[in-house]
Amino acid sequence: MQIKSSLVCPDCGQQTLHDLHYAGPVLHEITCAECGKASYAHHHPVGGYLLEWRGRLLSKPRRMYREVSKNPIILFRLSRRVVSKPTRVTREFFEVLH
Amino acid sequence: MNTTAAVVLGAGNGIRMGQAINKVYLEIEGLPIIVRAARPFAQHHDINRLVIVAAEHELDRCRRVFRSAGIKVSAVIAGGETRHASEACALEYLAPNIECGEVEFVLIHDGARPFFDGATLNELLEKAHYSGGAICALPLEDDLAHLNGRFARPMVDRAGFWRAQTPQVFRAQVLLDAYRSAAVSGFEGTDTAASVERVGGTVEVVRGDARNIKITQPEDLVLAESLIGATGRGKR
């Protein structure tokens, strides 16, 4: 995924458009659209993704608890989410690989 | 009881770049920067109101991100073209409550500072109570050079120079008067404290936190990613 945002480029010395490249949910590279200077949040997006995924896995029970206590109706939709989760995770992982 | 309104500024510069996403809505580990910035105030027992200032065309997006993060805000209002103008919009929005004494203090925070952890908030509020204003700041560690053409002359003694951060807290009526006076004379301060000092207000300093960075350059985003990793990956 790629999104654009305006940041101050230290090389151009002014606010310019930047392309933010994400590998799945992990910010991988930021490139100035004017001068092409790149900054790297994660040189190895797969490693970054796995680390991020581990964090998500560990915080899942807490997040689910919070979500359900706010809106118990979510429980009825849970089965669909559980069934589709492997597909969503696989799709996300292949996005990171490419 | 002192009532304090927190104002988080998110109508910043990024909005004028057409197809680009305002940087305050970029996510760090799944949570938008502005939500991270506002969170300490939503959770603090001495903050009674939380006002978010957004660009006019981003009002819906702003409401949406706070709703989905489960953070209750008192209002999302439209800001102006500059930081100063956005602060003025927030103060005019709060003016009826300030004038009747319902809001005694106003806290201003940059929506692009996602790492203020709230640790100095009590000290800031206390100092603002006694002095009328208090800001977070850090002593300068780099030398300062005054640039004369391409020559650095003279070098400036850094002793006594601090880098101002946010949050900044002020007595509400003083702040409102300062901004109304600035509007009459056409003054535009670079930060909130500048407008208060201009009308003779005093501002105390509370030592800030080096991690309370403002996301401005790409490297700040890179640093933000690693700070999140260091302070608890996956904490949303």
Side-chain angles (χ1 to χ4, degrees):
Chain A
M1 185 178 68
Q2 185 182 317
I3 58 174
K4 288 181 189 297
S5 188
S6 62
L7 296 163
V8 174
C9 173
D11 282 14
C12 302
Q14 58 182 342
Q15 191 156 252
T16 57
L17 268 183
H18 283 73
D19 293 317
L20 284 80
H21 303 268
Y22 287 83
V26 178
L27 178 61
H28 165 47
E29 185 185 332
I30 310 163
T31 317
C32 173
E34 295 289 322
C35 69
K37 180 189 159 61
S39 311
Y40 295 93
H42 291 283
H43 281 279
H44 306 292
V46 177
Y49 174 71
L50 291 177
L51 209 59
E52 200 269 345
W53 201 82
R54 181 177 154 267
R56 273 198 278 165
L57 190 70
L58 292 175
S59 65
K60 191 70 178 176
R62 193 185 61 229
R63 286 185 289 122
M64 281 305 298
Y65 174 76
R66 216 186 295 156
E67 212 176 325
V68 170
S69 42
K70 260 185 223 157
N71 183 12
I73 294 166
I74 281 171
L75 279 173
F76 295 105
R77 279 181 263 155
L78 206 58
S79 56
R80 203 169 55 189
R81 282 170 61 176
V82 170
V83 169
S84 66
K85 191 73 178 178
T87 320
R88 284 184 284 136
V89 170
T90 312
R91 197 186 302 145
E92 201 176 75
F93 188 69
F94 277 101
E95 239 180 69
V96 175
L97 282 180
H98 296 103
Chain B
M1 195 185 92
N2 298 324
T3 52
T4 304
V7 174
V8 177
L9 304 168
N13 292 328
I15 57 176
R16 285 183 279 279
M17 308 289 291
Q19 71 269 48
I21 288 180
N22 183 346
K23 67 185 175 190
V24 299
Y25 299 107
L26 293 175
E27 292 186 359
I28 303 174
E29 292 268 334
L31 207 56
I33 289 171
I34 192 166
V35 172
R36 288 185 183 275
R39 197 164 49 173
F41 312 116
Q43 292 166 347
H44 197 277
H45 51 84
D46 282 338
I47 308 279
N48 316 89
R49 278 159 204 262
L50 177 57
V51 177
I52 312 294
V53 184
E56 192 147 18
H57 67 280
E58 289 175 330
L59 290 171
D60 284 341
R61 177 196 282 266
C62 188
R63 288 189 189 104
R64 214 168 40 239
V65 296
F66 278 96
R67 203 181 308 126
S68 62
I71 292 182
K72 271 193 184 162
V73 298
S74 313
V76 175
I77 63 162
E81 278 292 301
T82 61
R83 178 200 164 90
H84 183 93
S86 290
E87 288 171 321
C89 291
L91 288 168
E92 286 306 329
Y93 170 78
L94 290 167
N97 305 100
I98 293 172
E99 280 160 349
C100 74
E102 213 176 291
V103 171
E104 288 177 83
F105 292 93
V106 174
L107 175 151
I108 308 275
H109 187 53
D110 290 326
R113 288 188 190 269
F115 294 115
F116 176 68
D117 61 4
T120 50
L121 203 43
N122 287 336
E123 196 182 346
L124 269 173
L125 293 170
E126 203 175 304
K127 286 202 169 170
H129 181 78
Y130 289 108
S131 309
I135 65 169
C136 282
L138 280 175
L140 264 186
E141 279 159 10
D142 296 323
D143 284 325
L144 285 175
H146 187 268
L147 216 65
N148 186 1
R150 60 192 177 97
F151 300 104
R153 292 273 170 77
M155 293 302 282
V156 181
D157 183 7
R158 70 179 175 219
F161 280 94
W162 288 56
R163 279 189 290 140
Q165 296 180 324
T166 67
Q168 307 191 346
V169 189
F170 303 92
R171 200 168 283 282
Q173 191 62 59
V174 173
L175 192 58
L176 182 62
D177 292 344
Y179 272 74
R180 283 181 173 167
S181 153
V184 170
S185 56
F187 174 79
E188 279 246 343
T190 49
D191 80 339
T192 324
S195 301
V196 172
E197 281 161 347
R198 183 180 156 270
V199 293
T202 49
V203 180
E204 272 203 75
V205 166
V206 170
R207 196 186 182 93
D209 184 348
R211 284 168 301 181
N212 183 13
I213 58 167
K214 186 173 181 180
I215 307 290
T216 310
Q217 300 189 356
E219 276 66 22
D220 299 327
L221 269 178
V222 174
L223 180 60
E225 287 271 326
S226 54
L227 279 173
I228 288 283
T231 54
R233 190 166 282 278
K235 187 177 171 187
R236 284 156 193 250

mmCIF file of all heavy atoms in Angstrom, chain B residues 133-166:
data_model
loop_
_atom_site.group_PDB
_atom_site.id
_atom_site.type_symbol
_atom_site.label_atom_id
_atom_site.label_comp_id
_atom_site.label_asym_id
_atom_site.label_seq_id
_atom_site.Cartn_x
_atom_site.Cartn_y
_atom_site.Cartn_z
ATOM 1 N N GLY B 133 0.620 30.774 33.373
ATOM 2 C CA GLY B 133 0.958 30.021 32.162
ATOM 3 C C GLY B 133 2.126 29.086 32.412
ATOM 4 O O GLY B 133 3.009 29.384 33.220
ATOM 5 N N ALA B 134 2.134 27.957 31.763
ATOM 6 C CA ALA B 134 3.251 27.010 31.881
ATOM 7 C C ALA B 134 3.382 26.223 30.590
ATOM 8 O O ALA B 134 2.385 25.841 29.985
ATOM 9 C CB ALA B 134 3.016 26.070 33.061
ATOM 10 N N ILE B 135 4.628 26.015 30.201
ATOM 11 C CA ILE B 135 4.869 25.247 28.967
ATOM 12 C C ILE B 135 5.906 24.154 29.223
ATOM 13 O O ILE B 135 6.712 24.254 30.143
ATOM 14 C CB ILE B 135 5.376 26.146 27.803
ATOM 15 C CG1 ILE B 135 6.760 26.733 28.127
ATOM 16 C CG2 ILE B 135 4.399 27.259 27.498
ATOM 17 C CD1 ILE B 135 7.425 27.400 26.932
ATOM 18 N N CYS B 136 5.873 23.133 28.409
ATOM 19 C CA CYS B 136 6.922 22.114 28.435
ATOM 20 C C CYS B 136 8.061 22.610 27.550
ATOM 21 O O CYS B 136 7.817 23.158 26.478
ATOM 22 C CB CYS B 136 6.408 20.802 27.846
ATOM 23 S SG CYS B 136 5.390 19.862 28.967
ATOM 24 N N ALA B 137 9.279 22.412 28.011
ATOM 25 C CA ALA B 137 10.431 22.798 27.187
ATOM 26 C C ALA B 137 11.644 21.984 27.597
ATOM 27 O O ALA B 137 11.678 21.404 28.681
ATOM 28 C CB ALA B 137 10.717 24.285 27.348
ATOM 29 N N LEU B 138 12.607 21.950 26.693
ATOM 30 C CA LEU B 138 13.855 21.218 26.959
ATOM 31 C C LEU B 138 15.039 22.147 26.758
ATOM 32 O O LEU B 138 15.032 22.954 25.826
ATOM 33 C CB LEU B 138 13.990 20.049 25.986
ATOM 34 C CG LEU B 138 13.206 18.777 26.283
ATOM 35 C CD1 LEU B 138 13.391 17.789 25.143
ATOM 36 C CD2 LEU B 138 13.663 18.138 27.593
ATOM 37 N N PRO B 139 16.073 22.030 27.597
ATOM 38 C CA PRO B 139 17.256 22.878 27.376
ATOM 39 C C PRO B 139 17.943 22.510 26.066
ATOM 40 O O PRO B 139 17.960 21.339 25.687
ATOM 41 C CB PRO B 139 18.151 22.554 28.577
ATOM 42 C CG PRO B 139 17.642 21.282 29.133
ATOM 43 C CD PRO B 139 16.215 21.162 28.763
ATOM 44 N N LEU B 140 18.466 23.518 25.400
ATOM 45 C CA LEU B 140 19.168 23.270 24.129
ATOM 46 C C LEU B 140 20.484 22.564 24.389
ATOM 47 O O LEU B 140 21.235 22.959 25.278
ATOM 48 C CB LEU B 140 19.456 24.596 23.436
ATOM 49 C CG LEU B 140 18.502 25.079 22.373
ATOM 50 C CD1 LEU B 140 19.069 26.340 21.732
ATOM 51 C CD2 LEU B 140 18.269 24.037 21.306
ATOM 52 N N GLU B 141 20.759 21.559 23.614
ATOM 53 C CA GLU B 141 22.033 20.861 23.781
ATOM 54 C C GLU B 141 22.998 21.155 22.644
ATOM 55 O O GLU B 141 24.201 20.994 22.790
ATOM 56 C CB GLU B 141 21.778 19.353 23.907
ATOM 57 C CG GLU B 141 21.356 19.003 25.321
ATOM 58 C CD GLU B 141 20.624 17.690 25.420
ATOM 59 O OE1 GLU B 141 20.606 16.951 24.433
ATOM 60 O OE2 GLU B 141 20.054 17.435 26.503
ATOM 61 N N ASP B 142 22.458 21.596 21.509
ATOM 62 C CA ASP B 142 23.336 21.935 20.386
ATOM 63 C C ASP B 142 23.740 23.403 20.488
ATOM 64 O O ASP B 142 23.004 24.217 21.049
ATOM 65 C CB ASP B 142 22.603 21.725 19.055
ATOM 66 C CG ASP B 142 22.237 20.267 18.842
ATOM 67 O OD1 ASP B 142 23.043 19.412 19.222
ATOM 68 O OD2 ASP B 142 21.142 20.010 18.329
ATOM 69 N N ASP B 143 24.912 23.712 19.919
ATOM 70 C CA ASP B 143 25.315 25.112 19.861
ATOM 71 C C ASP B 143 24.465 25.835 18.829
ATOM 72 O O ASP B 143 23.971 25.224 17.877
ATOM 73 C CB ASP B 143 26.795 25.221 19.481
ATOM 74 C CG ASP B 143 27.680 24.862 20.670
ATOM 75 O OD1 ASP B 143 27.277 25.178 21.799
ATOM 76 O OD2 ASP B 143 28.743 24.257 20.461
ATOM 77 N N LEU B 144 24.325 27.127 19.025
ATOM 78 C CA LEU B 144 23.535 27.924 18.088
ATOM 79 C C LEU B 144 24.461 28.798 17.257
ATOM 80 O O LEU B 144 25.376 29.425 17.798
ATOM 81 C CB LEU B 144 22.579 28.839 18.858
ATOM 82 C CG LEU B 144 21.351 28.216 19.490
ATOM 83 C CD1 LEU B 144 20.608 29.266 20.293
ATOM 84 C CD2 LEU B 144 20.433 27.665 18.410
ATOM 85 N N ALA B 145 24.210 28.822 15.978
ATOM 86 C CA ALA B 145 25.007 29.683 15.115
ATOM 87 C C ALA B 145 24.096 30.705 14.462
ATOM 88 O O ALA B 145 23.021 30.355 13.974
ATOM 89 C CB ALA B 145 25.695 28.848 14.052
ATOM 90 N N HIS B 146 24.510 31.952 14.501
ATOM 91 C CA HIS B 146 23.739 32.978 13.810
ATOM 92 C C HIS B 146 24.307 33.095 12.409
ATOM 93 O O HIS B 146 25.477 33.430 12.230
ATOM 94 C CB HIS B 146 23.842 34.310 14.567
ATOM 95 C CG HIS B 146 22.950 35.353 13.999
ATOM 96 N ND1 HIS B 146 23.365 36.233 13.025
ATOM 97 C CD2 HIS B 146 21.643 35.618 14.231
ATOM 98 C CE1 HIS B 146 22.356 37.009 12.698
ATOM 99 N NE2 HIS B 146 21.303 36.668 13.409
ATOM 100 N N LEU B 147 23.485 32.797 11.416
ATOM 101 C CA LEU B 147 23.999 32.740 10.052
ATOM 102 C C LEU B 147 24.019 34.128 9.416
ATOM 103 O O LEU B 147 22.994 34.811 9.348
ATOM 104 C CB LEU B 147 23.121 31.791 9.215
ATOM 105 C CG LEU B 147 23.885 30.972 8.191
ATOM 106 C CD1 LEU B 147 24.840 30.013 8.886
ATOM 107 C CD2 LEU B 147 22.925 30.174 7.327
ATOM 108 N N ASN B 148 25.216 34.510 8.992
ATOM 109 C CA ASN B 148 25.376 35.786 8.315
ATOM 110 C C ASN B 148 25.836 35.450 6.899
ATOM 111 O O ASN B 148 27.005 35.195 6.670
ATOM 112 C CB ASN B 148 26.415 36.608 9.094
ATOM 113 C CG ASN B 148 26.547 38.007 8.547
ATOM 114 O OD1 ASN B 148 25.841 38.361 7.587
ATOM 115 N ND2 ASN B 148 27.432 38.784 9.128
ATOM 116 N N GLY B 149 24.882 35.411 5.976
ATOM 117 C CA GLY B 149 25.216 34.895 4.653
ATOM 118 C C GLY B 149 25.484 33.410 4.786
ATOM 119 O O GLY B 149 24.668 32.675 5.333
ATOM 120 N N ARG B 150 26.684 32.958 4.340
ATOM 121 C CA ARG B 150 26.990 31.545 4.544
ATOM 122 C C ARG B 150 27.944 31.348 5.712
ATOM 123 O O ARG B 150 28.449 30.253 5.936
ATOM 124 C CB ARG B 150 27.525 30.926 3.255
ATOM 125 C CG ARG B 150 28.777 31.543 2.712
ATOM 126 C CD ARG B 150 29.060 31.064 1.288
ATOM 127 N NE ARG B 150 30.234 31.730 0.762
ATOM 128 C CZ ARG B 150 31.447 31.185 0.773
ATOM 129 N NH1 ARG B 150 31.632 29.999 1.287
ATOM 130 N NH2 ARG B 150 32.473 31.854 0.276
ATOM 131 N N PHE B 151 28.207 32.422 6.456
ATOM 132 C CA PHE B 151 29.128 32.322 7.586
ATOM 133 C C PHE B 151 28.376 32.299 8.907
ATOM 134 O O PHE B 151 27.455 33.072 9.119
ATOM 135 C CB PHE B 151 30.119 33.489 7.574
ATOM 136 C CG PHE B 151 30.938 33.520 6.319
ATOM 137 C CD1 PHE B 151 30.657 34.442 5.320
ATOM 138 C CD2 PHE B 151 31.970 32.614 6.122
ATOM 139 C CE1 PHE B 151 31.383 34.451 4.150
ATOM 140 C CE2 PHE B 151 32.707 32.626 4.953
ATOM 141 C CZ PHE B 151 32.412 33.544 3.958
ATOM 142 N N ALA B 152 28.805 31.406 9.773
ATOM 143 C CA ALA B 152 28.168 31.298 11.084
ATOM 144 C C ALA B 152 28.826 32.294 12.027
ATOM 145 O O ALA B 152 29.839 31.999 12.651
ATOM 146 C CB ALA B 152 28.316 29.887 11.616
ATOM 147 N N ARG B 153 28.316 33.487 12.090
ATOM 148 C CA ARG B 153 28.898 34.517 12.941
ATOM 149 C C ARG B 153 27.772 35.335 13.565
ATOM 150 O O ARG B 153 26.891 35.799 12.831
ATOM 151 C CB ARG B 153 29.791 35.468 12.138
ATOM 152 C CG ARG B 153 31.051 34.839 11.606
ATOM 153 C CD ARG B 153 32.160 34.921 12.649
ATOM 154 N NE ARG B 153 33.308 34.105 12.254
ATOM 155 C CZ ARG B 153 34.204 34.433 11.354
ATOM 156 N NH1 ARG B 153 34.090 35.583 10.750
ATOM 157 N NH2 ARG B 153 35.191 33.635 11.068
ATOM 158 N N PRO B 154 27.744 35.660 14.808
ATOM 159 C CA PRO B 154 28.605 35.061 15.819
ATOM 160 C C PRO B 154 27.948 33.801 16.352
ATOM 161 O O PRO B 154 26.753 33.590 16.155
ATOM 162 C CB PRO B 154 28.623 36.149 16.889
ATOM 163 C CG PRO B 154 27.274 36.787 16.772
ATOM 164 C CD PRO B 154 26.869 36.697 15.337
ATOM 165 N N MET B 155 28.716 32.960 17.022
ATOM 166 C CA MET B 155 28.123 31.804 17.695
ATOM 167 C C MET B 155 27.342 32.346 18.887
ATOM 168 O O MET B 155 27.759 33.293 19.536
ATOM 169 C CB MET B 155 29.210 30.839 18.191
ATOM 170 C CG MET B 155 29.984 30.168 17.065
ATOM 171 S SD MET B 155 28.954 29.220 15.925
ATOM 172 C CE MET B 155 28.667 27.752 16.872
ATOM 173 N N VAL B 156 26.213 31.743 19.150
ATOM 174 C CA VAL B 156 25.361 32.233 20.234
ATOM 175 C C VAL B 156 25.514 31.308 21.437
ATOM 176 O O VAL B 156 25.509 30.079 21.279
ATOM 177 C CB VAL B 156 23.881 32.268 19.777
ATOM 178 C CG1 VAL B 156 22.979 32.802 20.874
ATOM 179 C CG2 VAL B 156 23.735 33.085 18.508
ATOM 180 N N ASP B 157 25.668 31.911 22.596
ATOM 181 C CA ASP B 157 25.781 31.108 23.816
ATOM 182 C C ASP B 157 24.433 30.445 24.069
ATOM 183 O O ASP B 157 23.412 31.122 24.192
ATOM 184 C CB ASP B 157 26.163 32.033 24.980
ATOM 185 C CG ASP B 157 26.360 31.256 26.270
ATOM 186 O OD1 ASP B 157 26.327 29.994 26.222
ATOM 187 O OD2 ASP B 157 26.535 31.897 27.323
ATOM 188 N N ARG B 158 24.439 29.130 24.154
ATOM 189 C CA ARG B 158 23.154 28.416 24.265
ATOM 190 C C ARG B 158 22.581 28.447 25.686
ATOM 191 O O ARG B 158 21.438 28.039 25.903
ATOM 192 C CB ARG B 158 23.307 26.974 23.800
ATOM 193 C CG ARG B 158 24.124 26.129 24.747
ATOM 194 C CD ARG B 158 24.242 24.714 24.289
ATOM 195 N NE ARG B 158 25.135 24.008 25.199
ATOM 196 C CZ ARG B 158 26.010 23.116 24.829
ATOM 197 N NH1 ARG B 158 26.140 22.801 23.570
ATOM 198 N NH2 ARG B 158 26.769 22.514 25.715
ATOM 199 N N ALA B 159 23.401 28.914 26.664
ATOM 200 C CA ALA B 159 22.920 28.936 28.054
ATOM 201 C C ALA B 159 21.639 29.765 28.141
ATOM 202 O O ALA B 159 21.564 30.872 27.617
ATOM 203 C CB ALA B 159 23.995 29.518 28.965
ATOM 204 N N GLY B 160 20.662 29.231 28.771
ATOM 205 C CA GLY B 160 19.409 29.956 28.944
ATOM 206 C C GLY B 160 18.416 29.760 27.808
ATOM 207 O O GLY B 160 17.294 30.247 27.871
ATOM 208 N N PHE B 161 18.833 29.042 26.750
ATOM 209 C CA PHE B 161 17.905 28.786 25.641
ATOM 210 C C PHE B 161 17.258 27.416 25.793
ATOM 211 O O PHE B 161 17.938 26.410 26.026
ATOM 212 C CB PHE B 161 18.639 28.838 24.292
ATOM 213 C CG PHE B 161 18.862 30.234 23.805
ATOM 214 C CD1 PHE B 161 20.057 30.899 24.081
ATOM 215 C CD2 PHE B 161 17.882 30.904 23.085
ATOM 216 C CE1 PHE B 161 20.264 32.195 23.641
ATOM 217 C CE2 PHE B 161 18.088 32.200 22.645
ATOM 218 C CZ PHE B 161 19.276 32.850 22.921
ATOM 219 N N TRP B 162 15.969 27.394 25.677
ATOM 220 C CA TRP B 162 15.206 26.134 25.777
ATOM 221 C C TRP B 162 14.360 25.975 24.526
ATOM 222 O O TRP B 162 13.928 26.963 23.922
ATOM 223 C CB TRP B 162 14.299 26.160 27.015
ATOM 224 C CG TRP B 162 15.053 26.025 28.314
ATOM 225 C CD1 TRP B 162 16.077 26.825 28.742
ATOM 226 C CD2 TRP B 162 14.857 25.047 29.335
ATOM 227 N NE1 TRP B 162 16.524 26.386 29.965
ATOM 228 C CE2 TRP B 162 15.793 25.298 30.353
ATOM 229 C CE3 TRP B 162 13.983 23.974 29.491
ATOM 230 C CZ2 TRP B 162 15.883 24.526 31.515
ATOM 231 C CZ3 TRP B 162 14.059 23.202 30.650
ATOM 232 C CH2 TRP B 162 15.006 23.473 31.649
ATOM 233 N N ARG B 163 14.110 24.719 24.175
ATOM 234 C CA ARG B 163 13.230 24.415 23.040
ATOM 235 C C ARG B 163 11.812 24.251 23.555
ATOM 236 O O ARG B 163 11.561 23.379 24.385
ATOM 237 C CB ARG B 163 13.640 23.087 22.407
ATOM 238 C CG ARG B 163 14.811 23.181 21.469
ATOM 239 C CD ARG B 163 14.994 21.877 20.732
ATOM 240 N NE ARG B 163 15.463 20.810 21.620
ATOM 241 C CZ ARG B 163 15.031 19.556 21.572
ATOM 242 N NH1 ARG B 163 14.090 19.211 20.724
ATOM 243 N NH2 ARG B 163 15.531 18.650 22.376
ATOM 244 N N ALA B 164 10.908 25.074 23.081
ATOM 245 C CA ALA B 164 9.520 24.975 23.565
ATOM 246 C C ALA B 164 8.824 23.770 22.941
ATOM 247 O O ALA B 164 9.030 23.455 21.772
ATOM 248 C CB ALA B 164 8.769 26.246 23.232
ATOM 249 N N GLN B 165 8.052 23.086 23.749
ATOM 250 C CA GLN B 165 7.233 21.972 23.260
ATOM 251 C C GLN B 165 5.778 22.287 23.609
ATOM 252 O O GLN B 165 5.479 23.345 24.135
ATOM 253 C CB GLN B 165 7.625 20.678 23.986
ATOM 254 C CG GLN B 165 9.040 20.184 23.745
ATOM 255 C CD GLN B 165 9.309 18.884 24.523
ATOM 256 O OE1 GLN B 165 8.819 18.702 25.633
ATOM 257 N NE2 GLN B 165 10.099 18.004 23.937
ATOM 258 N N THR B 166 4.927 21.370 23.340
ATOM 259 C CA THR B 166 3.573 21.426 23.890
ATOM 260 C C THR B 166 3.393 20.139 24.685
ATOM 261 O O THR B 166 4.142 19.179 24.446
ATOM 262 C CB THR B 166 2.489 21.531 22.790
ATOM 263 O OG1 THR B 166 2.455 20.331 22.049
ATOM 264 C CG2 THR B 166 2.716 22.716 21.896
#
